[in-house]
Amino acid sequence: MSVCLFNSPPTLSLPTPAKRTLTSILDNSNNWTRKTLLGGAITGALSINLLLSSPSLLALESPSPSLLQSQSTEYLCREEETQQEFKVESEAPQVVTNEGIVEEAWEIVNDSFLDSGRRRWTPQSWQQKREDILSGSIQSRAKAHDIIRRMLASLGDPYTRFLSPAEFSKMGRYDISGIGINLREIPDENGEVKLKVLGLLLDGPAYSAGVRQGDELLSVNGEDVKGKSAFEVSSLLQGPNETFVTIKVKHGNCGPVHSIEVQRQLVARTPVFYRLEQIDNSTASVGYIRLREFNALARKDLVIAMKRLQDRGASYFILDLRDNLGGLVQAGIEIAKLFLNEGEKVIYTVGRDPQYQNTIAADSAPLVKAPVIVLVNNKTASASEIVASALHDNCRAVLVGDRTFGKGLIQSVFELHDGSGVVVTVGKYVTPNHMDINGNGIEPDYQKLPGWSDVKKHLSECNINRQG
């Protein structure tokens, strides 16, 4: 038996529905289809994916090779339409057992958890825990949630935790598109990248307007998105709250194509504050930017601030990351790229799952080349530390203040089928100079603000040492 995802071109015949029940799929489907990201995954999907709670998988019988070879494109398109119709009919609420919810959480940890502590987690000990927990019946959903909490606490990881349905719903503020969709870059059979809807906010603007999981996004306000990254297109989707954006999507592999108008519903508030300051006894000025968190608006609003400060004559920049505990790691990565030359490393990520083993580098020229001071303290953490280390290790900025917090772990957020969720540590990142941030933090270059002549001298020496 094989499994076919609805956002992939279907090539298999549907079995007789009576032979398969979707309820069983809830407990055994591949976890990555429910995978969501908070401050973590670096591949394609850029914000928390609040996936539909209805199952996205169907069990399918594997046909013979001769059957696969004989199928025509027209047949495949008709077949896909049948599958999509079957999926829509199956989107009625499914009965999920208390034991099923606990096992679902257990499977996510089993597949993805990265033990960064000293407890030496092993698959064998985790399997034994499953057997112990599921040896008896679980009488209530509240009891199931309590079991999950205790199960995750036993891992000894302070960042791996349970989210109640109410807590999980609040994650919507990390929607990076503003219309409640999450995009993923999917290569087709020709190697070209398509942008597919990986996740949807249930009852969000896009879902209510008719967008469905697995749809291919073709254009935004008439602009073709071919060749653009998921993050770039998410930025195109953004706009003032309650304004409209027109998107063109293709349902399934063969169409139809629909033009859909969606009203934006932004939850996030701008985390950027900026001003221009005059340097004493000098005609030069400094662009001061405070970034309070890395949310869906962080990069876009930071770009606006930097351009305005440049237009007003800023010769230097101060980026204040003090008390910034992080947020969306992908936003941090994209912000770091704004300061780096093409090809310079932003961060390295490692994890059990290959999707968390990456080298992230800048892919374009920097937005600004002026010297930068980054202000840090002991509450500068996670995505803030990615930005600080990337600018520091690439000799683009000096760090001023106190040693940073030292949170270098990657968490993913997974939605369970009853609307609750789990946050699981799935990887960690190291700096361009191969330093493990987690538990160590980053030591600043100065504790007090240096003069700009000292900053330029420091960065010049850094570049010389780097090249030689």
Side-chain angles (χ1 to χ4, degrees):
M1 184 180 73
S2 63
V3 174
C4 177
L5 304 182
F6 277 113
N7 57 357
S8 301
T11 57
L12 306 179
S13 301
L14 276 171
T16 304
K19 295 182 180 178
R20 296 288 182 269
T21 60
L22 292 175
T23 303
S24 64
I25 304 300
L26 293 176
D27 297 331
N28 299 297
S29 58
N30 292 331
N31 286 327
W32 75 265
T33 61
R34 302 190 300 274
K35 192 170 294 184
T36 61
L37 307 168
L38 170 59
I42 314 296
T43 57
L46 305 172
S47 67
I48 290 184
N49 310 323
L50 305 185
L51 302 183
L52 295 175
S53 57
S54 57
S56 60
L57 300 178
L58 289 178
L60 305 176
E61 299 290 354
S62 298
S64 64
S66 60
L67 175 59
L68 288 174
Q69 294 167 2
S70 65
Q71 288 177 315
S72 66
T73 302
E74 181 181 358
Y75 179 80
L76 289 175
C77 292
R78 289 201 308 268
E79 184 182 79
E80 177 171 299
E81 291 172 3
T82 303
Q83 290 194 27
Q84 293 291 350
E85 290 171 3
F86 186 83
K87 179 188 174 187
V88 171
E89 292 172 0
S90 69
E91 286 183 348
Q94 300 296 318
V95 177
V96 187
T97 65
N98 297 324
E99 291 79 8
I101 288 297
V102 173
E103 185 165 14
E104 188 179 12
W106 179 91
E107 286 177 352
I108 290 169
V109 173
N110 189 61
D111 291 345
S112 303
F113 176 67
L114 178 71
D115 184 10
S116 60
R118 300 178 180 178
R119 298 206 170 204
R120 298 190 178 182
W121 176 90
T122 65
Q124 293 78 15
S125 63
W126 194 242
Q127 179 64 38
Q128 183 59 53
K129 183 169 289 291
R130 175 186 179 277
E131 294 174 3
D132 294 342
I133 290 173
L134 298 175
S135 59
S137 63
I138 303 173
Q139 299 300 318
S140 68
R141 189 54 50 90
K143 180 67 173 177
H145 289 173
D146 185 57
I147 289 173
I148 294 173
R149 287 188 183 92
R150 288 187 279 111
M151 180 175 70
L152 298 181
S154 72
L155 296 170
D157 177 13
Y159 304 108
T160 296
R161 61 195 186 278
F162 174 77
L163 298 173
S164 68
E167 291 169 329
F168 187 84
S169 67
K170 292 178 182 178
M171 293 290 184
R173 71 179 184 274
Y174 288 99
D175 166 33
I176 204 167
S177 69
I179 62 172
I181 68 171
N182 190 272
L183 300 172
R184 184 174 182 136
E185 299 162 17
I186 305 291
D188 62 16
E189 61 277 5
N190 299 319
E192 296 183 355
V193 174
K194 296 181 178 180
L195 290 179
K196 295 262 190 168
V197 177
L198 173 68
L200 283 160
L201 275 170
L202 187 61
D203 296 328
Y207 180 77
S208 298
V211 179
R212 292 295 176 260
Q213 186 173 336
D215 283 358
E216 179 185 354
L217 183 62
L218 303 176
S219 69
V220 177
N221 285 334
E223 182 176 346
D224 189 352
V225 300
K226 186 176 182 180
K228 297 183 183 296
S229 70
F231 199 91
E232 287 178 293
V233 175
S234 293
S235 295
L236 291 178
L237 292 169
Q238 295 174 3
N241 194 35
E242 297 186 354
T243 60
F244 288 86
V245 60
T246 301
I247 61 175
K248 187 175 289 185
V249 298
K250 180 166 69 174
H251 293 326
N253 188 48
C254 304
V257 174
H258 293 284
S259 183
I260 301 175
E261 189 177 60
V262 185
Q263 186 176 31
R264 298 178 175 103
Q265 292 181 9
L266 291 175
V267 180
R269 295 182 178 180
T270 181
V272 176
F273 169 82
Y274 65 97
R275 64 177 181 264
L276 190 69
E277 296 183 348
Q278 199 70 31
I279 299 177
D280 292 339
N281 303 318
S282 173
T283 58
S285 54
V286 177
Y288 170 87
I289 304 174
R290 175 166 175 73
L291 184 58
R292 290 174 291 195
E293 70 168 325
F294 292 86
N295 66 10
L297 300 178
R299 181 191 182 278
K300 185 176 183 179
D301 289 355
L302 186 67
V303 168
I304 292 172
M306 291 169 65
K307 287 182 176 179
R308 288 179 178 174
L309 291 169
Q310 278 185 308
D311 291 343
R312 292 169 60 186
S315 303
Y316 309 99
F317 284 90
I318 293 177
L319 179 61
D320 192 347
L321 297 179
R322 292 174 298 180
D323 300 324
N324 185 328
L325 295 173
L328 288 174
V329 165
Q330 188 64 33
I333 288 171
E334 297 299 326
I335 285 173
K337 289 179 180 180
L338 297 174
F339 298 87
L340 303 183
N341 295 310
E342 184 175 358
E344 290 182 329
K345 303 299 186 293
V346 177
I347 205 76
Y348 300 99
T349 66
V350 295
R352 287 175 59 205
D353 191 321
Q355 74 165 307
Y356 301 115
Q357 300 172 13
N358 290 279
T359 299
I360 312 299
D363 49 16
S364 61
L367 182 61
V368 297
K369 295 185 177 181
V372 180
I373 287 175
V374 179
L375 302 180
V376 297
N377 63 6
N378 60 4
K379 292 183 180 179
T380 300
S382 192
S384 293
E385 291 174 295
I386 289 179
V387 174
S389 64
L391 272 60
H392 176 268
D393 290 2
N394 286 289
C395 305
R396 287 292 294 115
V398 298
L399 307 185
V400 178
D402 303 316
R403 180 184 287 272
T404 63
F405 182 81
K407 198 269 188 181
L409 299 178
I410 300 168
Q411 278 75 46
S412 283
V413 180
F414 300 77
E415 182 181 16
L416 304 180
H417 277 95
D418 68 344
S420 62
V422 291
V423 181
V424 179
T425 295
V426 296
K428 67 177 182 178
Y429 41 78
V430 295
T431 72
N433 286 346
H434 301 281
M435 187 187 80
D436 188 348
I437 296 173
N438 195 58
N440 299 310
I442 305 168
E443 186 68 31
D445 301 299
Y446 301 92
Q447 290 185 332
K448 296 182 179 180
L449 276 174
W452 285 105
S453 60
D454 293 329
V455 171
K456 289 190 287 186
K457 180 181 178 181
H458 183 104
L459 295 178
S460 176
E461 291 175 351
C462 177
N463 276 300
I464 292 173
N465 294 333
R466 191 171 166 222
Q467 295 169 5

